[in-house]
Amino acid sequence: MLKVKINQTAPVFMQITLECAPGEVHALVGPSGSGKTTILRTIAGLNQAATGSIECNDQIWLSTDRSGRVKSSLAAKDRCCGFLFQQYALFPHLSALDNVIIALQNIELTSERRKQLAAQWLERMGIGQLSKRMPHQLSGGQQQRVGLARALARKPSILLLDEPFSAIDTPTRLGLYKTLAEIRIDLNVPMLLVTHDLREADLLADRITVIDQGISLQTAAPKTLFSKPRNSRVAELVGISNIFQGKFNSGELSWDGCNQLFSVVDKGKIPPHSQVAWVIPQSALSLHRESSKTGVTAIVEEISSLGQIAVIQLRIENSEIRITWEASTAEIKRLDMKVDGLMQIEMDANQIHIMPLRPINDPRRFQESV
């Protein structure tokens, strides 16, 4: 089990709390500059946290008191992390085999045994036949497999993956996804994956932590995160398109800018008469042409076809509220939907999720003037 708790204001602002169990893939997502890579480097000991704690498999890697005095800190070389970088980070003057062997240099093994282990890992990655090639003679996917073999050769306590699939083509990426799925079962170690790709996080991760400006905003399983974000900032960062505001009071939700009212169940965490943000998933939206008492009239402003999928931008009649709907191109044709045409939007209020507008862990509070 990996347990991380970092709370510092300098040299880089960080308020991070996360855990990762053996065999779990835990994704870190967030915008560029949010601190995702810094977190990995801090765990690996390449950066020093000012205050906090890092524990892996009951071994203390870092412990400080509140004043920042270090009580215990393992050097990076003693933390036994497997680290796979975005740009491969292979030594250009070494062969694929020697790049893996170098990870075993500080282990008490004969040179022949190191060579055997390195060759075995290249075989396991499906590139044993390329062991004598230099990095420039390998494709991007092959180089990343060498990097993965090197990261795993020491049998690490944790595996840190820093956007390892972003620089390779889709077929190669899918092959590496499969390899990762296979080795996670055998290794049974915590795996932290930094990625910009929400689809990748959804596909690979058991849990996702959303990071923004050095703060961990929410940790949840992908399905929960995408349907029930903790606040409006999380909703924005995970790509939820339909985010609105309203007032919530005793189960009734108003919609700012629209006369529509919804009956919404809350867990009792929202005070009466609170201004809230709210989201509604695509699965809760349906469109038709016939007018109804429960429907909301909307004007079709834009239809963008993306292969077999279309993204439709609608504006609620007599307002500036816009809502996005995704459907198949066949459904668009069936509805005879055209730009400037009128449609009725039905919303399943049971799937509406309400959130505080500006919670305590929203980093935007640091940008506000006093």
Side-chain angles (χ1 to χ4, degrees):
M1 173 71 79
L2 173 69
K3 299 179 181 179
V4 179
K5 189 171 185 179
I6 302 171
N7 190 340
Q8 65 181 37
T9 56
V12 178
F13 184 89
M14 294 176 69
Q15 288 183 355
I16 301 296
T17 300
L18 62 87
E19 294 185 355
C20 187
E24 178 185 13
V25 175
H26 190 136
L28 307 182
V29 303
S32 297
S34 60
K36 304 182 298 296
T37 295
T38 300
I39 294 168
L40 295 194
R41 291 179 61 83
T42 302
I43 292 170
L46 302 176
N47 291 353
Q48 177 67 47
T51 57
S53 63
I54 301 172
E55 180 182 328
C56 184
N57 298 335
D58 299 323
Q59 184 184 43
I60 303 299
W61 285 6
L62 174 70
S63 177
T64 70
D65 60 23
R66 292 186 177 180
S67 67
R69 183 175 62 88
V70 177
K71 296 160 61 177
S72 176
S73 180
L74 276 185
K77 64 181 180 63
D78 298 322
R79 295 194 183 190
C80 199
C81 294
F83 208 136
L84 186 59
F85 300 89
Q86 178 182 2
Q87 297 299 333
Y88 322 131
L90 300 181
F91 294 100
H93 62 290
L94 297 179
S95 68
L97 183 66
D98 288 335
N99 261 284
V100 180
I101 290 175
I102 204 167
L104 302 168
Q105 290 300 326
N106 294 326
I107 299 177
E108 294 183 1
L109 298 170
T110 65
S111 59
E112 186 59 32
R113 182 54 180 158
R114 291 192 190 102
K115 186 175 181 179
Q116 290 175 354
L117 288 174
Q120 288 172 10
W121 274 110
L122 290 176
E123 285 288 346
R124 193 167 181 179
M125 293 298 110
I127 52 172
Q129 75 280 12
L130 306 177
S131 63
K132 295 182 180 180
R133 290 194 184 181
M134 307 301 284
H136 73 273
Q137 297 174 311
L138 301 171
S139 68
Q142 291 166 347
Q143 289 185 54
Q144 197 60 296
R145 287 181 181 275
V146 175
L148 185 55
R150 184 176 62 186
L152 298 174
R154 292 182 61 193
K155 296 184 178 179
S157 300
I158 60 172
L159 184 59
L160 306 176
L161 307 165
D162 189 7
E163 297 196 60
F165 312 122
S166 62
I168 52 181
D169 59 77
T170 298
T172 303
R173 188 183 305 129
L174 293 175
L176 282 166
Y177 288 169
K178 181 180 178 182
T179 299
L180 183 63
E182 293 169 350
I183 64 175
R184 69 179 289 189
I185 298 173
D186 296 337
L187 291 176
N188 197 37
V189 300
M191 299 183 186
L192 282 184
L193 169 68
V194 164
T195 179
H196 277 94
D197 191 334
L198 290 167
R199 291 171 297 178
E200 183 173 272
D202 187 17
L203 178 66
L204 298 178
D206 301 292
R207 288 190 296 167
I208 299 173
T209 292
V210 179
I211 309 291
D212 190 26
Q213 297 183 38
I215 300 175
S216 50
L217 298 183
Q218 182 177 1
T219 297
K223 183 177 180 180
T224 300
L225 184 68
F226 296 131
S227 63
K228 296 181 179 180
R230 178 172 292 168
N231 57 60
S232 57
R233 181 57 175 161
V234 173
E236 292 170 12
L237 293 176
V238 299
I240 295 176
S241 54
N242 294 319
I243 308 173
F244 308 105
Q245 293 187 18
K247 183 174 286 186
F248 183 75
N249 183 40
S250 302
E252 187 175 79
L253 173 68
S254 66
W255 188 356
D256 287 359
C258 184
N259 295 326
Q260 193 81 358
L261 294 176
F262 304 100
S263 294
V264 177
V265 177
D266 176 53
K267 295 180 180 179
K269 296 182 179 180
I270 305 293
H273 304 287
S274 292
Q275 196 73 20
V276 297
W278 60 277
V279 297
I280 186 164
Q282 290 292 318
S283 60
L285 303 175
S286 60
L287 270 67
H288 55 81
R289 299 185 63 83
E290 298 79 19
S291 179
S292 69
K293 293 182 179 180
T294 57
V296 179
T297 304
I299 303 165
V300 179
E301 289 195 328
E302 185 178 349
I303 301 175
S304 302
S305 295
L306 306 170
Q308 297 300 310
I309 299 296
V311 179
I312 299 89
Q313 186 82 15
L314 304 110
R315 179 173 55 83
I316 304 300
E317 193 174 42
N318 300 320
S319 80
E320 294 302 315
I321 298 173
R322 287 170 172 78
I323 190 165
T324 301
W325 186 59
E326 297 177 7
S328 67
T329 51
E331 180 72 357
I332 302 305
K333 185 176 181 180
R334 184 188 70 79
L335 290 170
D336 191 26
M337 186 181 293
K338 292 183 172 54
V339 173
D340 295 329
L342 295 180
M343 299 298 299
Q344 294 290 309
I345 304 177
E346 296 283 352
M347 302 185 184
D348 182 358
N350 292 323
Q351 296 188 55
I352 288 176
H353 173 64
I354 60 176
M355 308 162 287
L357 265 183
R358 192 64 57 87
I360 190 64
N361 71 343
D362 189 330
R364 288 175 295 179
R365 74 187 193 278
F366 297 114
Q367 300 173 353
E368 296 175 351
S369 58
V370 178

